[in-house]
C-alpha cells in the first residue's frame, strides 16, 4: 500500500500549481505543463497524419490557416502555437488535439457556405484546446484507473 501512495504522489506532483479556467470560472490544478501537452499533441498529430492524408490543396490549407490564425489572435491561450490542417477525406467533421492541433476534414469544408461558418467550426475546436478538454479527459481516466488499482489492492485475495 505504501508503494501505491508513493506512486500517487509522484503522478500528481505536477499538479501542485493552479490556473484560472475561464470556462469554469474556477482555479484548477495544472495536471501537465504546456510543454508536456504540446509533446502529446505532436505525437498524436503524427499518428493522425499517418492514418489520414493531409490535403495538398494549397488554397484550402491557406484558407483554414488564415481564418484559424485570426481567431487565435483573440483567444485566451497564447502560450502555444496553433496548427490548422485539412484532411483529404469526405467526412464532415473537425477535431482538436492537445497542444494546438486543429484538423478539418475536406468533406466539412464542402458543406460550409462561407468563411463565417468555417470560423465558427475553428473557434469551437480552438475552445477545446484553450479549455484543455483533452487534458481534463486524461485526468479523469487516470483518476479512474488509480481508483481501480486502489480498489484491487485493498480487495482480499479470492482463492
Amino acid at each position: 500500500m505504501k508503494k501505491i501512495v508513493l506512486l500517487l504522489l509522484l503522478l500528481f506532483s505536477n499538479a501542485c500549481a493552479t490556473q484560472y479556467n475561464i470556462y469554469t470560472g474556477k482555479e484548477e490544478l495544472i495536471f501537465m505543463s504546456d510543454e508536456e501537452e504540446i509533446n502529446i499533441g505532436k505525437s498524436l498529430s503524427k499518428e493522425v497524419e499517418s492514418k489520414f492524408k493531409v490535403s495538398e490543396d494549397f488554397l484550402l490549407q491557406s484558407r483554414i490557416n488564415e481564418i484559424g490564425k485570426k481567431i487565435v489572435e483573440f483567444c485566451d491561450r497564447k502560450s502555444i502555437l496553433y496548427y490548422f490542417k485539412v484532411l483529404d477525406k469526405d467526412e464532415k467533421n473537425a477535431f482538436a488535439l492537445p497542444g494546438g492541433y486543429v484538423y478539418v476534414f475536406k468533406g466539412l469544408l464542402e458543406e460550409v457556405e462561407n468563411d463565417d461558418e468555417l470560423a465558427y467550426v475553428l473557434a469551437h475546436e480552438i475552445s477545446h484546446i484553450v479549455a484543455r478538454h483533452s487534458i481534463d479527459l486524461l485526468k479523469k481516466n487516470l483518476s479512474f484507473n488509480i481508483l481501480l488499482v486502489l480498489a484491487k489492492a485493498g480487495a482480499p485475495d479470492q482463492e
Side-chain angles (χ1 to χ4, degrees):
M1 192 65 161
K2 287 181 185 180
K3 288 181 183 179
I4 292 172
V5 171
L6 285 173
L7 177 63
L8 290 174
L9 289 173
L10 285 173
L11 287 172
F12 289 104
S13 63
N14 284 344
C16 296
T18 62
Q19 180 176 353
Y20 181 76
N21 185 326
I22 61 165
Y23 292 97
T24 62
K26 298 177 185 173
E27 286 286 323
E28 296 180 356
L29 290 176
I30 297 173
F31 182 65
M32 68 176 53
S33 69
D34 283 349
E35 184 179 342
E36 291 168 320
E37 181 181 344
I38 290 165
N39 288 336
I40 289 171
K42 189 181 292 185
S43 176
L44 291 172
S45 74
K46 288 178 184 175
E47 188 75 23
V48 165
E49 292 176 29
S50 74
K51 292 186 179 184
F52 299 102
K53 182 180 178 219
V54 174
S55 174
E56 295 176 6
D57 185 326
F58 178 77
L59 292 177
L60 279 182
Q61 293 293 357
S62 294
R63 178 182 175 207
I64 189 174
N65 199 43
E66 183 179 319
I67 295 168
K69 296 295 181 187
K70 285 180 183 177
I71 295 167
V72 167
E73 288 178 24
F74 297 96
C75 85
D76 293 315
R77 189 168 182 211
K78 293 183 173 63
S79 59
I80 60 174
L81 296 175
Y82 292 82
Y83 306 91
F84 303 92
K85 295 188 181 177
V86 177
L87 298 176
D88 198 10
K89 189 170 180 180
D90 290 333
E91 192 170 327
K92 295 172 180 83
N93 205 353
F95 62 94
L97 298 177
Y101 295 86
V102 177
Y103 291 94
V104 178
F105 287 99
K106 192 171 95 179
L108 181 64
L109 290 176
E110 294 167 358
E111 291 292 314
V112 296
E113 293 184 19
N114 53 48
D115 285 353
D116 290 340
E117 289 183 2
L118 178 55
Y120 176 84
V121 170
L122 294 176
H124 174 86
E125 297 307 329
I126 290 168
S127 73
H128 287 301
I129 296 167
V130 171
R132 297 176 180 246
H133 286 159
S134 42
I135 300 307
D136 286 343
L137 184 60
L138 180 63
K139 254 195 301 195
K140 289 174 186 168
N141 287 335
L142 182 58
S143 298
F144 180 73
N145 287 336
I146 289 170
L147 287 174
L148 284 177
V149 168
L150 289 174
K152 197 169 190 173
D157 290 336
Q158 297 180 5
E159 291 184 33

